[in-house]
Amino acid sequence: MSNTLCVLPWMHLATHPNGGASLCCRSNHTDAVSWAKKSNTHNLVMLDNDSVEDIMNSEKFVEVRQAMIDGKRPVECEGCWKDEDAGIKSKRQYENERWAHIIPKLEQTAKLSDINLIYVELRLGNVCNNACLTCNSYSSTKWYPDEKKIANVLPWFKLRAMENFKWFENENFYRDLANSSQSVEEIYINGGEPTLIKAHFEYLKHLITLGTSQNVHLVYSLNMMDIPDRLIELWKEFKQVTVNASIDDLGNRNYYIRYPTQWEETVASIEKLTKLPNLNWHVTQTVSILNIYHLAEFGNWLETNYNKTPHHNYVLYPDYLSLATLPDFYKEELRSHYANRLHEWQRKDLLNKLHEPYQPNLLQKAKEFIIAVDNARGLDYKNYIPELKEIL
């Protein structure tokens, strides 16, 4: 095995809300550099018209697999190379360990003759009832009205074209997917918000009818606003279900960051999960300049009430909400603040992220963006995250 090989390009499908597909969720998405494209063009392979095989044997995917076979580091995977060079376990390393039993079965060529997906990652459109500050209309329909208002006042803010996000309702897609993943072991389902995307319920029923469900680990990312009982009944037919609860902070801060999440609904959804027998759940906390000061507080609440430790997912996009926005004096304040807080592995990760060089232009963008969002929503960040006054 090449020391730059990643198992994912051989056995993994990572779709996106618009029906495109990339090498994985961690790959470089700038200008869709890691996305499947049609040969000799910049046109994306799209699941409303193209097949799973078109994606897996697209020119981009073949090119990256060949680079890995040759022991090279594809630029499409630069996020993992940066993590590894910094001494942080990368997604590539994690996935290679997790799927070690698959590696000996991989084809030894860059172009695949047999498409047999083991790990499927479905981001099913952009229907959502949240408009999280670190998100956008690409992943949430609730964002678009605010984006139109923001684009009118911020010249640099680009209004996204509302593309056709209905590809996931196409029965032919699920039929093609089933034929291309007869040995599937894990299916990750996101959105939008999956609980609102009813089309995939029929897909789950199809897997149950085939008997495949007993071998499948279902993994969901949910915003914890509501979990319908109808979906829970389907989950009971699967080998295992894991829910990744997206919660960024406590109470009113979570309302502001993951607008308009209601804390009582979040807690009620957690309580519902704790009562399901074949289900595991954990929390992913998206870390940005908005909640960076309260990681320990949220972690303590979660551990005290549910004996869970949150996973930290550091914002890369939008870059003006990432830690690169923070001035050096504020980073030093955070290093002192967390000197005796967090678990050691969490603190190590945080301190590493704080090495990101300060970019003053990002801070200016953050200030303009947050004020524009507040005006659009009739809110004031100072009422929810007053410590941001130090830098904004």
Side-chain angles (χ1 to χ4, degrees), residues 119-130:
Y119 175 28
V120 175
E121 190 172 344
L122 300 176
R123 288 178 173 82
L124 299 172
N126 65 344
V127 177
C128 191
N129 49 6
N130 276 6

Side-chain angles (χ1 to χ4, degrees), residues 208-230:
I208 293 168
T209 301
L210 291 175
T212 306
S213 62
Q214 295 300 315
N215 302 317
V216 174
H217 178 197
L218 279 182
V219 182
Y220 279 81
S221 279
L222 302 181
N223 65 22
M224 307 303 284
M225 290 278 278
D226 180 53
I227 306 174
D229 293 337
R230 178 182 167 198

Side-chain angles (χ1 to χ4, degrees), residues 174 178 187 189 198-214 218 220 229-238:
Y174 293 113
I187 302 173
I189 302 178
K198 304 297 192 294
H200 92 277
F201 291 10
E202 297 304 315
Y203 176 52
L204 299 185
K205 290 180 182 177
H206 182 60
L207 294 175
I208 293 168
T209 301
L210 291 175
T212 306
S213 62
Q214 295 300 315
L218 279 182
Y220 279 81
D229 293 337
R230 178 182 167 198
L231 181 57
I232 289 174
E233 288 302 311
L234 293 173
W235 287 352
K236 293 176 181 178
E237 302 297 325
F238 285 80

